[in-house]
Amino acid sequence: GQLFSPMHIPVLLCGLVTGPLYGLATGVFGPLLSSLLTGMPPTAFLPNMMIELALYGLIAGLMMRIVHTGKLYLDILISLIVAMLLGRVFIGIVIWLFLSQGDYGISAWFAAYFTGSIPGIIAHIIIIPIVTLALIRANLVPNKYEKSTK
């Protein structure tokens, strides 16, 4: 799970295509529902996952509203990467300030949120923009560069 971070995919997608509030809600309730139904993530990791994923969904949605390069793929990619970076930084700060017991140093945070999840990070950078573009091109979600006909 931690290696490929499969729960991150729907949250990041939701934030990118539906906006920050739905991304935030998906990030909070997705792990909770998954934990109740499947036992994953385990209860000990649930608060961290809920905060981390809520941040990803929120930031991805905000970035899609802020970034306007004129190229949709580039907007998606920038929004995704910024969400993944800021989400990791913020969860590291939250864990360090509120959730850690004992020493929680930068090396533990870096190992947990960057080094240990490199395959997931790469997979997300490849898969999520492609899926997001496919949803937009299939007219399942609005294209922010398409002019309204109303």
Side-chain angles (χ1 to χ4, degrees):
Q2 184 179 355
L3 187 63
F4 289 108
S5 306
M7 291 188 71
H8 294 63
I9 294 170
V11 173
L12 287 163
L13 277 170
C14 184
L16 292 170
V17 301
T18 64
L21 293 180
Y22 287 113
L24 175 83
T26 303
V28 169
F29 295 112
L32 179 62
L33 186 61
S34 177
S35 183
L36 291 172
L37 295 176
T38 68
M40 292 300 289
T43 309
F45 296 103
L46 187 58
N48 291 19
M49 287 292 295
M50 290 172 69
I51 294 168
E52 178 187 5
L53 293 179
L55 288 166
Y56 288 155
L58 175 71
I59 296 167
L62 287 173
M63 291 305 299
M64 278 300 285
R65 290 187 178 172
I66 293 169
V67 177
H68 295 282
T69 65
K71 298 187 183 317
L72 185 58
Y73 185 82
L74 190 55
D75 289 359
I76 294 166
L77 192 59
I78 290 169
S79 298
L80 174 65
I81 291 171
V82 168
M84 290 169 60
L85 286 173
L86 286 180
R88 282 173 167 78
V89 168
F90 289 148
I91 190 61
I93 292 168
V94 168
I95 291 171
W96 178 65
L97 290 175
F98 304 110
L99 301 175
S100 69
Q101 296 176 343
D103 292 331
Y104 184 79
I106 195 158
S107 60
W109 164 75
F110 195 81
Y113 287 94
F114 287 96
T115 308
S117 57
I118 288 174
I121 291 169
I122 293 168
H124 297 159
I125 290 172
I126 293 169
I127 294 167
I128 293 171
I130 292 169
V131 172
T132 304
L133 267 181
L135 291 169
I136 292 168
R137 291 198 173 135
N139 293 318
L140 296 173
V141 295
N143 180 342
K144 72 180 191 177
Y145 289 114
E146 204 171 80
K147 296 205 187 255
S148 176
T149 56
K150 292 183 180 182

